[in-house]
Amino acid sequence: MDYRSTRDQHVFISASQAIIRGISQDGGLFVPCRFPCLRKSLEELKELNYQELAAKIMACYLPEFTEKQLKEYAHKAYDGFASREVVPVSQLKNSVFMLELWHGPTLAFKDMALQMLPQLLSGSLTIQQSDKKILILVATSGDTGKAALAGFADVPNTAISVFYPHDGVSAAQKLQMTTQAGENVQVTGIYGNFDDAQSAVKRLFTSADFQQKVEDCGYSLSSANSINWGRLLPQTVYYFWGYFSLCRRGQLKMGDKMNVCVPTGNFGNILAAYYAKQMGLPIDRLICASNENHVLTDFFTTGVYDIHRAFHKTNSPSMDILISSNLERLLYHLFDGGDEKIRELMAALKASGRYSVPDDVRQKMQEEFFVGYCDEENTLSTIRDVYQAESYLMDTHTAVGYHVTRQYQEKTGDKKPVLVASTACPYKFSRSVLTALGGKVSADEFANAAAIEEMTGWKTPQQILDLKALSVRFPDICEKEAMENRILEWIKG
Ligand SMILES: *Cc1c(COP(=O)(O)O)cnc(C)c1O
């Protein structure tokens, strides 16, 4: 299996190279040349445990790695999860099933990939016989940063530098990052939003000058954002897992279709579901749920992508994104590998903040995806209503997904089971969750967590309680123009 760049057909590299580089020099993202078909082997995969399933699926895309090696990686990545199943599925009313992706060390779905990526990266360096150290650059809307730090802290031959919008993450998210332990980590707030951080990081990735300076310090650059193929691939696994879980409970017969709903920001998680579908997993509609920053809802509806709009800071901050990077991969596939077309669209986006796709592509998008969004008020009322009716507690991002799932069901009458990606633990967003439950909100996030526990009986995870005793190691905030220097000074030591 080889990989191409979405912006240049002539780029043709192996999986290990794609994982090491993260993003193509031309600014494009790496995509697999084809999708392996697993339709015939679904029955065999059904009885595997999570770790075995992960190894089997990833092996289809990583011919340079043995399945045994990948299984070891999967055990290292997932054995420490709070749930023995790794990803438990909770059944709610109305054929809604919550795929709980947040039982890992940092309490968000990003752990599913970021506990795996450091191992894929180390393995890739060995395959490429590289003696370089790796510098991981991360722009985060909150959860990726912490999950990447947890994955890479003190991993030999790596260094990781994380940038987050200083005013755009939850209190728990900020504390999780700024208290991070490890000799090889750097964490910095920036004045700006996630798009500012992501665009600056992408610019650094494609700057030959910056790359040279990094190499002069003995490092090569890579990415832990979902632009990296090594991030996306482990995310395809849990859609198979969720499907098999519904089969094992008798909710589906093997081969029956389910729908999948994903609360979406950078379009990584839902793209992984699209890839699972391309591999033969029986998925009917992909439901793309946005918050008030509903640039994707509008794009799928009109065919026009337009970032000239107000940026809202919402109570689902990990989805406060206007430039969804992974959309580029979907478009590449929908244009049947049209690198020229992608260059054109992305150039328009850069120059004017806007592009449009032809009607036939828009129609393909609408066949595959249902889109909708959920505003701030509905996010909170969803958390409250579902808790009151079903004693099930969800975080703000997941609530956006749940709300749009119900929109879909009401609009279409489709009764198929819907697997909703539950992307974060409610205690990562205690302030909003407590507000939703009608509790008295305090300036102290730990008091908010305690109040939720008292109201619901849901246990506060140890990772949140532990934060209280940690001190902030990284208080710094910088302008986005200063990011480059901050990184270089740090790696120079
Ligand atoms: C990152 C994140 C999302 C958005 O996922 P994308 O892959 O960026 O679309 C949704 N919810 C939570 C809690 C997240 O951390």
Side-chain angles (χ1 to χ4, degrees), residues 107-110 141-144 173 194 226 231-232 235 238 262-271 289 296 316-319 321 324 326 395-398 421-425 428-429:
L107 309 173
F109 89 89
K110 307 293 199 294
S141 54
D143 291 326
T144 297
Q173 286 177 316
F194 172 72
S226 52
R231 255 288 298 273
L232 269 189
Q235 295 181 190
Y238 44 72
V262 185
T264 300
N266 224 357
F267 210 75
N269 204 6
I270 195 164
L271 186 75
L296 290 169
S316 45
S318 299
M319 294 157 61
I321 293 176
S324 287
N326 277 293
D395 96 290
T396 46
H397 304 76
T398 307
S422 173
T423 51
C425 168
K428 267 198 115 158
F429 302 93

